[in-house]
Amino acid sequence: MAHSREDPPSLPTEPRPYLEELVRRTRTVCGPHLVSVLAVGSVALRDYRHGRSDVDVTVVVEPSLPGSALHDLATALAHPHLPCPAAGLELVVYGTDFVSRPSGDAGYLLDLNTGPLLPNRADFDPARSPAFWYVIDRSVAHQTGLTLFGRPAREVIAAPDRPDLLAAIRASVHEHSAGEGHLADNRVLNGCRSAVFCRTGRWLAKRVAAHEVALTEEEFRPLIEAAVHSFERPRSSAVPLPTAEVRAFLTWVRERVEQAARATGT
């Protein structure tokens, strides 16, 4: 299993050559310090939408990786030096010493955002970022991460403890309730995923989670169906959703999170 990789046909067609080149460049920069390259997010959850979705990647390295290599990696993978065919690349690098243990912290060595629809950002200080995004991403990675190179996700990434994860989900819902910087459809669909996770302990693709919630919550069904319809369009032509209805739905989601936290005594 030392150098296994996901069978290419299981990856979406459009970003497949890009991911192959990303792995090649990451191996070149990190050398023997590289442990794993994992596809996470929509690619891992089989819900990648070309023109809408980001490509999410988690890289795990040995702590002995020289700090200069992180800067070299950010340069090697930055768009358009490596043209990103998706809306953007969101890549996070962790050391094995951090990611092998459950944590509620951000804990990354490098957080790289780049691509045609993302502002270029390479950050090396985890104290600068809200931790909840990374806690949720590591939970998704542990559950469904696709191995592009190296050791499988479950061997290298520890699942966050449930209290830390519920706290992260609570913070995520709060962020989406504020709405700034987020498309309305994404706020609704992420809310669906959070609600389903609190009930089942499993992360589902956004549209699958939306279907699950719409089946049981008739009051919110029209809003959720509108969010799915908008999500299936490019970001530039996303459909506006009623602000008051989105906020009411996210209030309902927040109540589901609080209910789950009470059930676990957190």
Side-chain angles (χ1 to χ4, degrees), residues 45 132-133 135-137 139-140 143 162 164-177 182 185-214 216-217 224 249-261:
L45 290 167
F132 65 88
W133 296 121
V135 177
I136 293 172
D137 284 350
S139 178
V140 175
Q143 176 191 295
R162 188 166 175 83
D164 286 336
L165 186 51
L166 289 173
I169 294 171
R170 184 188 295 116
S172 171
V173 175
H174 178 77
E175 169 85 5
H176 283 301
S177 296
H182 300 283
D185 55 21
N186 204 43
R187 294 163 64 197
V188 171
L189 298 183
N190 271 330
C192 290
R193 285 207 317 171
S194 295
V196 172
F197 179 85
C198 288
R199 187 175 73 243
T200 67
R202 297 287 297 172
W203 293 109
L204 301 181
K206 290 176 181 176
R207 289 178 293 177
V208 176
H211 177 72
E212 293 288 324
V213 176
T216 59
E217 305 301 323
I224 293 170
F249 174 69
L250 291 174
T251 297
W252 176 84
V253 174
R254 188 163 56 247
E255 291 169 353
R256 305 287 76 73
V257 179
E258 298 294 350
Q259 185 180 58

Side-chain angles (χ1 to χ4, degrees), residues 2-17:
H3 297 291
S4 62
R5 70 183 301 277
E6 190 68 16
D7 182 25
S10 69
L11 298 172
T13 301
E14 297 89 351
R16 191 183 303 160

Side-chain angles (χ1 to χ4, degrees), residues 15 18 42 48 51-57 79 84-91 112-120 235:
Y18 172 76
S42 60
Y48 176 82
R52 162 56 76 113
S53 300
D54 295 319
V55 170
D56 299 280
V57 175
H79 177 88
C84 180
L89 168 69
E90 295 187 352
L91 179 139
L112 175 67
N113 285 0
T114 189
L117 297 182
L118 287 182
N120 283 320
R235 291 190 186 191

Side-chain angles (χ1 to χ4, degrees), residues 1-4 35-38 60 141-142 145-157:
M1 300 293 288
H3 297 291
S4 62
V35 175
S36 298
V37 181
L38 309 164
V60 181
H142 176 84
L146 300 181
T147 305
L148 304 178
F149 171 84
R151 294 168 57 192
R154 284 178 177 258
E155 290 185 9
V156 295
I157 299 181

